[in-house]
Amino acid sequence: MNTKIVSFGEILLRLSKPDYQRLTQGHRMLANYGGSEANTAISLAYLGNNVEYVTRLPYSTMGEAALMHLREYGLNVNHVVRGGERLGTYYFEEAVAMRNSHVIYDRKNSSMYSLKRGMVEWDKVLADAAMFHCSGITCAISHDSMESTMDALKLAEEKGLTIVCDINYRKNLWGYGMQPHDVLYNMMQYSDVAFGDQNEWEVASGIKHIPFEAHDACYFIDRDAYHAYFRKMHSLFPKCKKMIMALRNQLASTHHTLTGVLYDAVTDSLYTTKIYDIQPIIDPMGVGDAFVAGYIHAYRKWTDNNQYCLDFALSASALKNTIPGDQNLVTEEEIITNLTSSGGRIQR
């Protein structure tokens, strides 16, 4: 039986200033790797899954460094395409007190930006795969990148793979003339499993989201409202069997509430879970990617247990808030322990 999960996207170099400095301050930069799809792939590999990551990297020292980072976490990189001018980057200014975080993308003319349709040999990549994971970010980078994603989705559907689409709307990336809603709506037609936060579901569907205003873990989730909402989603995305929404309320830079909702379209059932009241937030980047990876891992292992899959995914996402950098380096055991304890204990 095939077990390979294929993820497609751009790995990025993340640059930030230490000690909550603004990007205009200081003389030192901290470097990490990020990129939504890479974050998801690395988290899945860390959880012990068979993962192949497909991207395009330059023939340069920075390209080799990014490739080494992927290999370090056990990813299969056999079909990474080489070429192009540069590695994509982004600059991250951390939030503190009442000052919001700030992201500046520097992806134009990156190797992934200049990827041409047909460069990825999808027949070979997907030949022994069980699941394909992609996101709206890859569709936003360039027209060719979007078409490469659609080519992969069509072939994955033909081969009967389980397709996981992360809506991942980033308004500052869309610049090649197509409307985000139109592209994301099309991408979602292929999904068996779809994920997004409340705002991303609104962009993809055009239907206004339900506000999430939790100030603590006692907040009441209107199950009937979400059930009705996802019935509408299923009418728009009829292939999608599992629909997951992450709900986060950012009360302050270091204080968030976080939960999730899952809709099973086959049984017309809605699942909710606990609310995490997280304080302090160490690093909020990649929290959604951790949710996706946690869900994929759980779905592969406990497919029919919707409640447990949602609980596991949320626990993984909550833990990511405690880890510096973009990637969620936690084990299955740690995620399960977080499900059943209040945390903070010394593990001996």
Side-chain angles (χ1 to χ4, degrees):
M1 185 179 74
N2 293 338
T3 61
K4 187 173 78 172
I5 303 167
V6 174
S7 183
F8 178 49
E10 182 173 30
I11 185 170
L12 300 168
L13 183 67
R14 162 180 155 171
L15 298 170
S16 57
K17 292 290 179 71
D19 304 322
Y20 301 103
Q21 288 181 343
R22 307 216 68 182
L23 291 172
T24 52
Q25 285 182 284
H27 304 284
R28 292 186 297 125
M29 301 288 281
L30 302 176
N32 286 291
Y33 287 100
S36 178
E37 306 81 14
N39 297 339
T40 301
I42 287 171
S43 180
L44 281 166
Y46 203 84
L47 287 167
N49 295 278
N50 175 14
V51 185
E52 175 163 5
Y53 188 63
V54 180
T55 190
R56 187 170 186 240
L57 294 171
Y59 286 109
S60 68
T61 300
M62 297 310 297
E64 289 299 321
L67 204 57
M68 287 172 64
H69 180 76
L70 295 169
R71 289 189 179 118
E72 178 183 359
Y73 290 105
L75 272 68
N76 175 343
V77 291
N78 291 341
H79 293 97
V80 167
V81 180
R82 304 304 297 271
E85 294 183 15
R86 55 185 287 266
L87 184 69
T89 61
Y90 83 94
Y91 299 88
F92 176 55
E93 184 175 288
E94 293 182 272
V96 62
M98 71 290 298
R99 174 157 55 89
N100 293 329
S101 61
H102 188 46
V103 170
I104 299 173
Y105 289 114
D106 184 13
R107 303 171 83 149
K108 192 171 184 179
N109 297 322
S110 71
S111 293
M112 195 68 179
Y113 181 92
S114 59
L115 175 83
K116 297 301 179 187
R117 192 177 186 185
M119 283 183 173
V120 179
E121 296 180 294
W122 287 119
D123 277 324
K124 294 181 179 179
V125 174
L126 300 177
D128 58 345
M131 180 176 284
F132 178 69
H133 161 257
C134 65
S135 97
I137 290 177
T138 312
C139 292
I141 296 170
S142 68
H143 192 271
D144 278 303
S145 184
M146 179 272 292
E147 289 196 322
S148 294
T149 304
M150 295 302 171
D151 288 344
L153 286 168
K154 291 171 185 175
L155 185 59
E157 184 179 50
E158 288 175 15
K159 290 181 175 293
L161 275 63
T162 299
I163 296 172
V164 181
C165 293
D166 184 347
I167 301 169
N168 249 341
Y169 172 62
R170 301 290 185 271
K171 66 178 182 179
N172 292 335
L173 287 180
W174 291 85
Y176 59 87
M178 297 192 71
Q179 292 299 311
H181 165 78
D182 297 340
V183 175
L184 296 173
Y185 185 91
N186 189 24
M187 178 186 77
M188 295 280 282
Q189 298 305 318
Y190 294 93
S191 67
D192 296 295
V193 177
F195 172 84
D197 66 24
Q198 61 267 45
N199 296 303
E200 290 166 339
W201 277 101
E202 179 175 328
V203 173
S205 68
I207 299 175
K208 189 171 178 59
H209 71 270
I210 301 166
F212 177 68
E213 300 172 331
H215 285 80
D216 54 41
C218 298
Y219 183 78
F220 172 75
I221 296 288
D222 190 340
R223 291 176 54 87
D224 291 340
Y226 280 102
H227 206 153
Y229 186 87
F230 277 109
R231 282 172 174 160
K232 292 178 184 176
M233 293 299 108
H234 184 52
S235 69
L236 296 175
F237 311 115
K239 185 175 182 285
C240 194
K241 302 175 186 69
K242 311 280 189 182
M243 301 183 182
I244 304 108
M245 179 184 287
L247 301 169
R248 178 163 55 166
N249 189 20
Q250 302 183 29
L251 301 168
S253 62
T254 60
H255 185 193
H256 297 178
T257 54
L258 180 70
T259 191
V261 177
L262 186 153
Y263 176 70
D264 186 324
V266 176
T267 60
D268 186 31
S269 302
L270 186 86
Y271 298 83
T272 58
T273 185
K274 68 183 289 184
I275 296 174
Y276 283 92
D277 189 343
I278 308 169
Q279 188 176 12
I281 300 290
I282 301 302
D283 193 324
M285 299 301 286
V287 169
D289 309 324
F291 206 125
V292 175
Y295 181 79
I296 291 173
H297 178 79
Y299 177 81
R300 302 270 307 200
K301 197 164 183 177
W302 306 288
T303 304
D304 296 326
N305 192 336
N306 285 316
Q307 186 65 62
Y308 195 75
C309 289
L310 178 61
D311 294 344
F312 185 93
L314 178 65
S315 177
S317 183
L319 283 171
K320 169 60 198 70
N321 289 277
T322 71
I323 298 171
D326 284 43
Q327 286 135 19
N328 197 27
L329 305 179
V330 295
T331 65
E332 180 184 291
E333 181 182 7
E334 289 172 318
I335 294 169
I336 292 171
T337 298
N338 187 52
L339 275 174
T340 56
S341 70
S342 58
R345 296 185 180 91
I346 298 174
Q347 301 296 317
R348 298 184 189 274

